[in-house]
């Protein structure tokens, strides 16, 4: 999709704050600091529209970005950030779970993992949870610019194995720095939207 127009429509915590539109929505989930906001910015061709930070825990609400009045990206707070209190974590967990299990407009979930390392226990839990709820999921291995190209295949296999993915489950290596994988991610999104 050629993106020219994008709005931060709403930052929501509770379901009654979600946008009232029927546009399809794609959620971005993954550990804190993995690069969700950075992926969003690359997809919409902006530098820092979705706020990025080297400090984990930057995104604390569900942020709905309206793209071309056709689609929302929903930037979801990261999991696995040790410094937030247990209470805070539970509140986050509930907010994310409500959204992912109850939102009819949700047509796909992009789950980010760090391409440099094996997925964490939290990543495995998240992936299994998404599968349990039958949510169409694309795994994106990000920060691939930090992995030597001769190790890409090995890292891909490691992610697949650890998450228990089948060969048909989609996985794309991505980099917000080089924009590697951007077109493939868009193709997957457009397929979820029923555009191709
Ligand atoms: P939270 O909102 O805290 O959950 O984090 P997030 O997942 O939105 O991560 P964010 O996009 O803010 O990125 C975290 C840090 O990783 C920033 O310093 C980014 O510049 C860096 N980063 C993200 N993606 C990439 C990438 O593909 N390559 C490299 N080299 N750095 C990246
Ligand atoms: Mg973020």
């Amino acid at each position: 999709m050629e993106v020219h127009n994008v709005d931060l429509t709403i930052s929501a915590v509770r379901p009654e704050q979600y946008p009232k539109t029927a546009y399809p929505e794609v959620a971005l989930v993954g550990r804190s600091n993995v690069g969700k906001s950075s992926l969003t910015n690359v997809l919409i061709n902006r530098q820092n529209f979705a706020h990025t930070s080297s400090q984990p825990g930057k995104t604390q609400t569900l942020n709905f970005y309206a793209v071309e009045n056709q689609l929302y990206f929903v930037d979801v707070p990261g999991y696995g950030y040790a410094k937030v209190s247990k209470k805070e974590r539970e509140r986050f967990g509930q907010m994310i779970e409500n959204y992912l299990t109850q939102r009819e407009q949700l047509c796909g979930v992009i789950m980010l993992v760090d391409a440099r390392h094996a997925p964490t226990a939290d990543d495995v839990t998240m992936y299994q949870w998404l599968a349990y709820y039958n949510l169409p999921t694309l795994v994106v291995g990000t920060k691939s610019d930090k992995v030597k190209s001769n190790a890409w295949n090995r890292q891909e296999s490691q992610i697949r194995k650890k998450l228990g993915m089948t060969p048909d489950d989609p996985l794309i290596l991505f980099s917000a720095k080089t924009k590697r994988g951007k077109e493939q991610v868009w193709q997957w999104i457009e397929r979820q939207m029923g555009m191709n």
Side-chain angles (χ1 to χ4, degrees):
M1 190 185 293
E2 272 290 320
V3 178
H4 304 288
N5 275 309
V6 34
D7 280 318
L8 168 58
T9 305
I10 194 167
S11 294
V13 175
R14 294 187 304 279
E16 58 273 23
Q17 298 169 322
Y18 300 165
K20 306 282 180 276
T21 44
Y23 305 148
E25 295 173 3
V26 171
L28 293 106
V29 305
R31 274 186 305 121
S32 198
N33 218 37
V34 73
K36 298 174 294 297
S37 299
S38 300
L39 171 61
T40 306
N41 286 325
V42 170
L43 292 173
I44 64 179
N45 303 321
R46 299 295 169 96
Q47 288 292 332
N48 201 17
F49 194 89
H51 295 293
T52 60
S53 166
S54 52
Q55 268 184 315
K58 174 81 186 167
T59 308
Q60 304 215 342
T61 52
L62 296 166
N63 292 332
F64 290 78
Y65 300 100
V67 180
E68 296 292 320
N69 293 325
Q70 285 190 57
L71 162 77
Y72 280 108
F73 284 130
V74 186
D75 194 359
V76 172
Y79 51 79
Y81 178 43
K83 276 198 181 148
V84 299
S85 68
K86 189 166 176 249
K87 208 163 173 195
E88 191 82 338
R89 234 185 347 257
E90 278 166 10
R91 195 176 61 79
F92 269 27
Q94 199 59 56
M95 171 173 78
I96 296 167
E97 190 168 325
N98 284 345
Y99 173 73
L100 292 175
T101 57
Q102 289 168 29
R103 187 66 166 165
E104 269 178 39
Q105 289 88 326
L106 185 64
C107 70
V109 177
I110 298 179
M111 181 179 145
L112 285 82
V113 296
D114 191 324
R116 292 172 295 181
H117 312 295
T120 65
D122 282 336
D123 291 330
V124 175
T125 304
M126 188 65 183
Y127 191 71
Q128 287 172 346
W129 190 90
L130 293 167
Y132 176 81
Y133 282 101
N134 259 323
L135 288 161
T137 301
L138 170 67
V139 177
V140 166
T142 192
K143 307 195 185 184
S144 67
D145 56 281
K146 294 192 172 180
V147 177
K148 290 207 181 81
S149 54
N150 64 9
W152 283 347
N153 283 344
R154 191 181 66 215
Q155 291 307 102
E156 275 198 35
S157 312
Q158 187 181 44
I159 293 168
R160 284 191 176 280
K161 190 168 170 207
K162 187 92 200 226
L163 294 180
M165 297 173 72
T166 70
D168 290 339
D169 293 333
L171 166 65
I172 296 170
L173 284 195
F174 176 82
S175 161
K177 209 163 165 191
T178 67
K179 303 192 171 43
R180 173 202 158 98
K182 176 185 174 185
E183 294 312 317
Q184 283 172 282
V185 174
W186 261 120
Q187 279 169 18
W188 183 86
I189 293 167
E190 288 174 356
R191 216 170 312 127
Q192 304 317 302
M193 293 169 68
M195 286 174 66
N196 59 18

